[in-house]
Amino acid sequence: MELILLFISAAIINNFVLSYFLGICPFLGVSKKIDAAFSMGLAVIFVMSITSVISWLVNHLILIPFHLEILQYVVFILVIASLVQFVEMVIKKISPPLYRALGIFLPLITTNCAILGLALFISLREYSFIQGLVFGLGASVGFTLALVIMAGIREELETADIPESLKGAGITLIVAGILSLAFMGFAGLI
Amino acid sequence: MKKGTPAFEFAKGLWNDNPVLVQLLGMCPTLAVTTTVVNGLAMALATSFVLIMSSLMVSTFRKWIPGSVRIASYIVIIASFVTLADRFLAAYFYDISKALGPFIPLIIVNCIILGRQEAFSSKNTVKMSLLDAMGMSLGFLIALVLLSSFREILGYGTWFGIKLMPAFFKPWVIMIMPPGAFFMLGIILGVSGVIKNRANKGVV
C-alpha cells in the first residue's frame, strides 16, 4: 500500500515536470507531436527505471562503504552518461525497430535533469531499494503523462490565433502553468 | 559591435543571446528556485562560478582533450566545480543550501554550462572564453533576478525580504507555487518578444 502511494505521489502529485521543474528542456522541446512525445516518454521510463536501480547500488555498495560521498555527483553523472550509451548499444543490437523509434531521443536523455534528479532524490530521501525503483517508475510515468498531455494541447494550438510575440516558448509556458494548476488539484488525493 | 571583438563576446550574453530569454536554456533552475530574490541570486552566482571556472579549464586544455571523449571530460570538469560550490554553500550559507536543495547538484546538467563549453570554450582562446562565460553568467543572473523579483513581490509582497507592498495588498500565493513560475516566465518571454519585434521593425 505504501508503495502504491509512493507511485501515485511521484507520478501525479509531485510530478517531476510540473511541480519539481525537472526535465523542462525535453518538455518544451519534444512536445510538438504526440508520437514523438510518447517515444520520448518510453525512452525516459526505460532509462529512469534502470538508473534508479544502478544509482542505488552504486551509492550503497561503493560510495557509502568507502566513505566517498563527496564524489557522489561526479559518479552519478558518469554512471548516467555511460548507462545511456550502454542502453543505446543494447537496444540497437537486440531490437532495431525499437532503436529506430527511440534512437534520437536516447542521447538527449543524458542531459535530462530528471534522471540526475531522480538519482539525487533517491539518495537524499534514503529510499530502500524497492522504494527507489517504485519512485523511479512513478516519476517516469508522470513525466510521460505530462509530456503526452502537453503534446496533445500543442497540436491543437497549431491552429489557434496566438499573439505574435507569445508564439513558441511563451504560450507553451503559459499552457504548462495551467496544466500545473490542474495537477495541483490532485494534492488532496493522499 | 563587430562579431569576434572582446566587447561583443561579453555583451551578447546580456540580451541578444541571453541564455534564458532567447536560447531557452537552463529552464529547470530558472523556474524552480526563483521563489525569492535571495534564492535566485544564490543560484545565479553558484552557476556563474561553475560556468566561469569550467570555461577557464576547458579553454586552457582545449588542445589536449580528445574529440571523442570531450563531452565526458566537460561533464567531469563541471561536476567537480559543482561539488566545490555545493560544499562551500553548505559550509558557509547553510540556509541557502537547504533552500536550494537538490538544485545545486543539478547545476551539472544545466544546459547553459555544457552548451557554452561545446559551442565556445572548446574552440576559442582563454581570454575570449572567460569574457563569453562572464557575459552568459550575467545574462543568466539578469533573467533570474527579473523573474524572482516579480514572483517575490507578487507572492510575498516583499523584495529581498523588505516589505514593498501596502498593507491592504493580499499576496498572490499562486506566484510562489509552481504554476506561477510558468505563468511569469511565459509573460516575461512574451514581453521580451514584443520588445524584440519592435526593435527589428525599427531597423528595417
Side-chain angles (χ1 to χ4, degrees), chain A residues 12-15 18-21 176-190, chain B residues 173-183:
Chain A
I12 298 176
I13 299 163
N14 292 319
N15 188 287
L18 298 170
S19 75
Y20 288 148
F21 307 107
I178 298 171
L179 206 56
S180 161
L181 261 183
F183 269 70
M184 269 174 60
F186 289 112
L189 209 61
I190 289 185
Chain B
V173 184
I174 192 78
M175 274 301 154
I176 45 176
M177 291 201 286
F182 285 116
F183 288 137

mmCIF file of all heavy atoms in Angstrom, chain A residues 12-15 18-21 176-190, chain B residues 173-183:
data_model
loop_
_atom_site.group_PDB
_atom_site.id
_atom_site.type_symbol
_atom_site.label_atom_id
_atom_site.label_comp_id
_atom_site.label_asym_id
_atom_site.label_seq_id
_atom_site.Cartn_x
_atom_site.Cartn_y
_atom_site.Cartn_z
ATOM 1 N N ILE A 12 1.839 11.756 -10.046
ATOM 2 C CA ILE A 12 0.842 12.794 -10.270
ATOM 3 C C ILE A 12 1.015 13.999 -9.348
ATOM 4 O O ILE A 12 1.147 15.133 -9.802
ATOM 5 C CB ILE A 12 -0.585 12.213 -10.089
ATOM 6 C CG1 ILE A 12 -0.810 11.115 -11.132
ATOM 7 C CG2 ILE A 12 -1.612 13.304 -10.265
ATOM 8 C CD1 ILE A 12 -2.122 10.412 -10.988
ATOM 9 N N ILE A 13 1.064 13.743 -8.031
ATOM 10 C CA ILE A 13 1.022 14.879 -7.113
ATOM 11 C C ILE A 13 2.318 15.677 -7.151
ATOM 12 O O ILE A 13 2.324 16.884 -7.305
ATOM 13 C CB ILE A 13 0.704 14.398 -5.687
ATOM 14 C CG1 ILE A 13 -0.668 13.733 -5.712
ATOM 15 C CG2 ILE A 13 0.718 15.560 -4.718
ATOM 16 C CD1 ILE A 13 -0.946 12.887 -4.530
ATOM 17 N N ASN A 14 3.440 14.962 -7.014
ATOM 18 C CA ASN A 14 4.721 15.654 -7.127
ATOM 19 C C ASN A 14 5.334 15.370 -8.483
ATOM 20 O O ASN A 14 6.475 14.940 -8.596
ATOM 21 C CB ASN A 14 5.669 15.209 -6.016
ATOM 22 C CG ASN A 14 5.189 15.676 -4.676
ATOM 23 O OD1 ASN A 14 4.723 16.797 -4.534
ATOM 24 N ND2 ASN A 14 5.279 14.808 -3.689
ATOM 25 N N ASN A 15 4.540 15.611 -9.522
ATOM 26 C CA ASN A 15 5.008 15.361 -10.887
ATOM 27 C C ASN A 15 6.355 16.051 -11.129
ATOM 28 O O ASN A 15 6.520 17.222 -10.802
ATOM 29 C CB ASN A 15 3.962 15.893 -11.858
ATOM 30 C CG ASN A 15 4.254 15.504 -13.277
ATOM 31 O OD1 ASN A 15 5.169 16.047 -13.870
ATOM 32 N ND2 ASN A 15 3.510 14.572 -13.806
ATOM 33 N N LEU A 18 5.957 19.160 -13.624
ATOM 34 C CA LEU A 18 5.051 20.265 -13.306
ATOM 35 C C LEU A 18 5.181 20.764 -11.879
ATOM 36 O O LEU A 18 4.710 21.844 -11.574
ATOM 37 C CB LEU A 18 3.610 19.844 -13.576
ATOM 38 C CG LEU A 18 3.357 19.509 -15.048
ATOM 39 C CD1 LEU A 18 2.006 18.880 -15.225
ATOM 40 C CD2 LEU A 18 3.471 20.752 -15.896
ATOM 41 N N SER A 19 5.813 20.004 -10.968
ATOM 42 C CA SER A 19 5.990 20.616 -9.657
ATOM 43 C C SER A 19 7.440 20.687 -9.202
ATOM 44 O O SER A 19 7.778 21.508 -8.385
ATOM 45 C CB SER A 19 5.104 19.961 -8.606
ATOM 46 O OG SER A 19 5.598 18.721 -8.243
ATOM 47 N N TYR A 20 8.336 19.827 -9.749
ATOM 48 C CA TYR A 20 9.760 19.978 -9.409
ATOM 49 C C TYR A 20 10.560 20.658 -10.519
ATOM 50 O O TYR A 20 11.740 20.911 -10.364
ATOM 51 C CB TYR A 20 10.388 18.615 -9.117
ATOM 52 C CG TYR A 20 9.958 18.000 -7.805
ATOM 53 C CD1 TYR A 20 9.858 16.625 -7.668
ATOM 54 C CD2 TYR A 20 9.683 18.788 -6.701
ATOM 55 C CE1 TYR A 20 9.467 16.048 -6.468
ATOM 56 C CE2 TYR A 20 9.301 18.215 -5.508
ATOM 57 C CZ TYR A 20 9.188 16.856 -5.392
ATOM 58 O OH TYR A 20 8.811 16.288 -4.210
ATOM 59 N N PHE A 21 9.952 20.898 -11.656
ATOM 60 C CA PHE A 21 10.637 21.518 -12.800
ATOM 61 C C PHE A 21 11.856 20.724 -13.245
ATOM 62 O O PHE A 21 12.879 21.302 -13.576
ATOM 63 C CB PHE A 21 11.079 22.943 -12.487
ATOM 64 C CG PHE A 21 9.989 23.813 -11.983
ATOM 65 C CD1 PHE A 21 9.955 24.176 -10.659
ATOM 66 C CD2 PHE A 21 9.002 24.263 -12.824
ATOM 67 C CE1 PHE A 21 8.940 24.988 -10.178
ATOM 68 C CE2 PHE A 21 7.996 25.074 -12.347
ATOM 69 C CZ PHE A 21 7.959 25.438 -11.030
ATOM 70 N N ALA A 176 1.717 25.314 -19.854
ATOM 71 C CA ALA A 176 2.298 24.455 -18.820
ATOM 72 C C ALA A 176 1.848 24.912 -17.438
ATOM 73 O O ALA A 176 1.596 24.090 -16.556
ATOM 74 C CB ALA A 176 3.821 24.469 -18.911
ATOM 75 N N GLY A 177 1.741 26.231 -17.254
ATOM 76 C CA GLY A 177 1.265 26.757 -15.975
ATOM 77 C C GLY A 177 -0.140 26.288 -15.665
ATOM 78 O O GLY A 177 -0.437 25.859 -14.547
ATOM 79 N N ILE A 178 -1.012 26.340 -16.691
ATOM 80 C CA ILE A 178 -2.399 25.906 -16.475
ATOM 81 C C ILE A 178 -2.431 24.410 -16.152
ATOM 82 O O ILE A 178 -3.133 23.960 -15.250
ATOM 83 C CB ILE A 178 -3.247 26.221 -17.727
ATOM 84 C CG1 ILE A 178 -3.272 27.726 -17.957
ATOM 85 C CG2 ILE A 178 -4.657 25.684 -17.572
ATOM 86 C CD1 ILE A 178 -3.889 28.143 -19.258
ATOM 87 N N LEU A 179 -1.599 23.649 -16.885
ATOM 88 C CA LEU A 179 -1.520 22.206 -16.659
ATOM 89 C C LEU A 179 -1.049 21.912 -15.236
ATOM 90 O O LEU A 179 -1.559 21.021 -14.548
ATOM 91 C CB LEU A 179 -0.539 21.618 -17.668
ATOM 92 C CG LEU A 179 -0.715 20.161 -18.058
ATOM 93 C CD1 LEU A 179 -2.116 19.957 -18.587
ATOM 94 C CD2 LEU A 179 0.303 19.785 -19.105
ATOM 95 N N SER A 180 -0.067 22.709 -14.803
ATOM 96 C CA SER A 180 0.476 22.535 -13.471
ATOM 97 C C SER A 180 -0.577 22.837 -12.408
ATOM 98 O O SER A 180 -0.671 22.160 -11.381
ATOM 99 C CB SER A 180 1.699 23.441 -13.328
ATOM 100 O OG SER A 180 2.024 23.673 -12.012
ATOM 101 N N LEU A 181 -1.411 23.862 -12.685
ATOM 102 C CA LEU A 181 -2.530 24.179 -11.788
ATOM 103 C C LEU A 181 -3.458 22.976 -11.686
ATOM 104 O O LEU A 181 -3.898 22.602 -10.597
ATOM 105 C CB LEU A 181 -3.329 25.346 -12.363
ATOM 106 C CG LEU A 181 -3.090 26.742 -11.831
ATOM 107 C CD1 LEU A 181 -4.049 27.709 -12.491
ATOM 108 C CD2 LEU A 181 -3.278 26.765 -10.330
ATOM 109 N N ALA A 182 -3.748 22.368 -12.857
ATOM 110 C CA ALA A 182 -4.656 21.232 -12.872
ATOM 111 C C ALA A 182 -4.086 20.085 -12.045
ATOM 112 O O ALA A 182 -4.801 19.438 -11.282
ATOM 113 C CB ALA A 182 -4.892 20.774 -14.308
ATOM 114 N N PHE A 183 -2.781 19.859 -12.175
ATOM 115 C CA PHE A 183 -2.168 18.751 -11.425
ATOM 116 C C PHE A 183 -2.147 19.035 -9.931
ATOM 117 O O PHE A 183 -2.142 18.123 -9.119
ATOM 118 C CB PHE A 183 -0.744 18.478 -11.929
ATOM 119 C CG PHE A 183 -0.699 17.463 -13.023
ATOM 120 C CD1 PHE A 183 -1.193 17.752 -14.283
ATOM 121 C CD2 PHE A 183 -0.185 16.195 -12.802
ATOM 122 C CE1 PHE A 183 -1.173 16.816 -15.294
ATOM 123 C CE2 PHE A 183 -0.157 15.249 -13.809
ATOM 124 C CZ PHE A 183 -0.657 15.559 -15.057
ATOM 125 N N MET A 184 -2.123 20.344 -9.564
ATOM 126 C CA MET A 184 -2.143 20.674 -8.143
ATOM 127 C C MET A 184 -3.451 20.227 -7.503
ATOM 128 O O MET A 184 -3.525 19.999 -6.302
ATOM 129 C CB MET A 184 -1.957 22.178 -7.946
ATOM 130 C CG MET A 184 -0.516 22.588 -7.788
ATOM 131 S SD MET A 184 -0.365 24.369 -7.730
ATOM 132 C CE MET A 184 -1.355 24.744 -6.298
ATOM 133 N N GLY A 185 -4.497 20.115 -8.346
ATOM 134 C CA GLY A 185 -5.784 19.681 -7.831
ATOM 135 C C GLY A 185 -5.750 18.273 -7.265
ATOM 136 O O GLY A 185 -6.602 17.895 -6.466
ATOM 137 N N PHE A 186 -4.748 17.476 -7.680
ATOM 138 C CA PHE A 186 -4.646 16.107 -7.174
ATOM 139 C C PHE A 186 -4.064 16.058 -5.765
ATOM 140 O O PHE A 186 -3.980 14.986 -5.169
ATOM 141 C CB PHE A 186 -3.772 15.253 -8.094
ATOM 142 C CG PHE A 186 -4.414 14.942 -9.405
ATOM 143 C CD1 PHE A 186 -3.925 15.476 -10.587
ATOM 144 C CD2 PHE A 186 -5.509 14.101 -9.464
ATOM 145 C CE1 PHE A 186 -4.525 15.192 -11.807
ATOM 146 C CE2 PHE A 186 -6.105 13.809 -10.678
ATOM 147 C CZ PHE A 186 -5.611 14.352 -11.847
ATOM 148 N N ALA A 187 -3.629 17.213 -5.249
ATOM 149 C CA ALA A 187 -2.878 17.217 -3.993
ATOM 150 C C ALA A 187 -3.645 16.575 -2.857
ATOM 151 O O ALA A 187 -3.056 16.015 -1.939
ATOM 152 C CB ALA A 187 -2.480 18.641 -3.619
ATOM 153 N N GLY A 188 -4.997 16.632 -2.902
ATOM 154 C CA GLY A 188 -5.769 16.068 -1.812
ATOM 155 C C GLY A 188 -5.920 14.558 -1.897
ATOM 156 O O GLY A 188 -6.531 13.944 -1.028
ATOM 157 N N LEU A 189 -5.335 13.968 -2.940
ATOM 158 C CA LEU A 189 -5.551 12.547 -3.210
ATOM 159 C C LEU A 189 -4.993 11.655 -2.111
ATOM 160 O O LEU A 189 -5.521 10.587 -1.835
ATOM 161 C CB LEU A 189 -4.888 12.200 -4.548
ATOM 162 C CG LEU A 189 -5.496 11.061 -5.347
ATOM 163 C CD1 LEU A 189 -6.919 11.388 -5.704
ATOM 164 C CD2 LEU A 189 -4.678 10.829 -6.606
ATOM 165 N N ILE A 190 -3.887 12.105 -1.499
ATOM 166 C CA ILE A 190 -3.261 11.264 -0.470
ATOM 167 C C ILE A 190 -3.451 11.906 0.901
ATOM 168 O O ILE A 190 -3.118 13.069 1.064
ATOM 169 C CB ILE A 190 -1.766 11.053 -0.747
ATOM 170 C CG1 ILE A 190 -1.617 10.148 -1.945
ATOM 171 C CG2 ILE A 190 -1.090 10.452 0.477
ATOM 172 C CD1 ILE A 190 -0.197 9.779 -2.248
ATOM 173 N N VAL B 173 -0.628 33.977 -3.687
ATOM 174 C CA VAL B 173 0.078 32.761 -3.298
ATOM 175 C C VAL B 173 0.500 31.943 -4.523
ATOM 176 O O VAL B 173 1.542 31.290 -4.532
ATOM 177 C CB VAL B 173 -0.819 31.905 -2.378
ATOM 178 C CG1 VAL B 173 -0.062 30.688 -1.886
ATOM 179 C CG2 VAL B 173 -1.284 32.740 -1.205
ATOM 180 N N ILE B 174 -0.301 32.035 -5.580
ATOM 181 C CA ILE B 174 -0.025 31.228 -6.781
ATOM 182 C C ILE B 174 1.372 31.520 -7.338
ATOM 183 O O ILE B 174 2.019 30.646 -7.909
ATOM 184 C CB ILE B 174 -1.121 31.511 -7.846
ATOM 185 C CG1 ILE B 174 -1.056 30.499 -8.988
ATOM 186 C CG2 ILE B 174 -1.021 32.901 -8.415
ATOM 187 C CD1 ILE B 174 -1.646 29.203 -8.622
ATOM 188 N N MET B 175 1.873 32.763 -7.125
ATOM 189 C CA MET B 175 3.153 33.147 -7.713
ATOM 190 C C MET B 175 4.336 32.378 -7.118
ATOM 191 O O MET B 175 5.354 32.201 -7.766
ATOM 192 C CB MET B 175 3.378 34.655 -7.519
ATOM 193 C CG MET B 175 2.751 35.470 -8.608
ATOM 194 S SD MET B 175 3.402 35.002 -10.209
ATOM 195 C CE MET B 175 2.049 35.469 -11.259
ATOM 196 N N ILE B 176 4.209 31.962 -5.854
ATOM 197 C CA ILE B 176 5.334 31.212 -5.289
ATOM 198 C C ILE B 176 5.149 29.720 -5.474
ATOM 199 O O ILE B 176 6.014 28.934 -5.141
ATOM 200 C CB ILE B 176 5.547 31.541 -3.789
ATOM 201 C CG1 ILE B 176 4.215 31.543 -3.066
ATOM 202 C CG2 ILE B 176 6.278 32.840 -3.618
ATOM 203 C CD1 ILE B 176 4.328 31.752 -1.592
ATOM 204 N N MET B 177 4.009 29.315 -6.047
ATOM 205 C CA MET B 177 3.816 27.888 -6.325
ATOM 206 C C MET B 177 4.233 27.603 -7.772
ATOM 207 O O MET B 177 4.421 28.530 -8.560
ATOM 208 C CB MET B 177 2.360 27.532 -6.057
ATOM 209 C CG MET B 177 2.069 27.608 -4.567
ATOM 210 S SD MET B 177 0.650 26.670 -4.070
ATOM 211 C CE MET B 177 -0.675 27.649 -4.652
ATOM 212 N N PRO B 178 4.404 26.325 -8.100
ATOM 213 C CA PRO B 178 4.907 26.000 -9.440
ATOM 214 C C PRO B 178 4.176 26.681 -10.604
ATOM 215 O O PRO B 178 4.844 27.206 -11.491
ATOM 216 C CB PRO B 178 4.765 24.479 -9.499
ATOM 217 C CG PRO B 178 4.890 24.046 -8.091
ATOM 218 C CD PRO B 178 4.294 25.133 -7.251
ATOM 219 N N PRO B 179 2.826 26.725 -10.639
ATOM 220 C CA PRO B 179 2.191 27.334 -11.815
ATOM 221 C C PRO B 179 2.616 28.783 -12.019
ATOM 222 O O PRO B 179 2.780 29.235 -13.152
ATOM 223 C CB PRO B 179 0.692 27.253 -11.495
ATOM 224 C CG PRO B 179 0.560 26.196 -10.483
ATOM 225 C CD PRO B 179 1.806 26.218 -9.689
ATOM 226 N N GLY B 180 2.820 29.523 -10.907
ATOM 227 C CA GLY B 180 3.230 30.918 -11.007
ATOM 228 C C GLY B 180 4.525 31.087 -11.772
ATOM 229 O O GLY B 180 4.700 32.037 -12.530
ATOM 230 N N ALA B 181 5.455 30.134 -11.572
ATOM 231 C CA ALA B 181 6.732 30.203 -12.269
ATOM 232 C C ALA B 181 6.511 30.120 -13.774
ATOM 233 O O ALA B 181 7.071 30.904 -14.541
ATOM 234 C CB ALA B 181 7.638 29.078 -11.801
ATOM 235 N N PHE B 182 5.667 29.164 -14.185
ATOM 236 C CA PHE B 182 5.398 29.005 -15.617
ATOM 237 C C PHE B 182 4.743 30.268 -16.183
ATOM 238 O O PHE B 182 5.164 30.788 -17.220
ATOM 239 C CB PHE B 182 4.481 27.806 -15.853
ATOM 240 C CG PHE B 182 5.146 26.468 -15.712
ATOM 241 C CD1 PHE B 182 4.771 25.586 -14.718
ATOM 242 C CD2 PHE B 182 6.146 26.079 -16.590
ATOM 243 C CE1 PHE B 182 5.367 24.345 -14.592
ATOM 244 C CE2 PHE B 182 6.747 24.837 -16.475
ATOM 245 C CZ PHE B 182 6.357 23.964 -15.469
ATOM 246 N N PHE B 183 3.693 30.757 -15.479
ATOM 247 C CA PHE B 183 2.975 31.934 -15.982
ATOM 248 C C PHE B 183 3.919 33.120 -16.139
ATOM 249 O O PHE B 183 3.971 33.767 -17.173
ATOM 250 C CB PHE B 183 1.847 32.334 -15.013
ATOM 251 C CG PHE B 183 0.682 31.393 -15.034
ATOM 252 C CD1 PHE B 183 0.069 30.981 -13.868
ATOM 253 C CD2 PHE B 183 0.191 30.924 -16.242
ATOM 254 C CE1 PHE B 183 -1.005 30.109 -13.891
ATOM 255 C CE2 PHE B 183 -0.885 30.050 -16.281
ATOM 256 C CZ PHE B 183 -1.485 29.644 -15.100
#
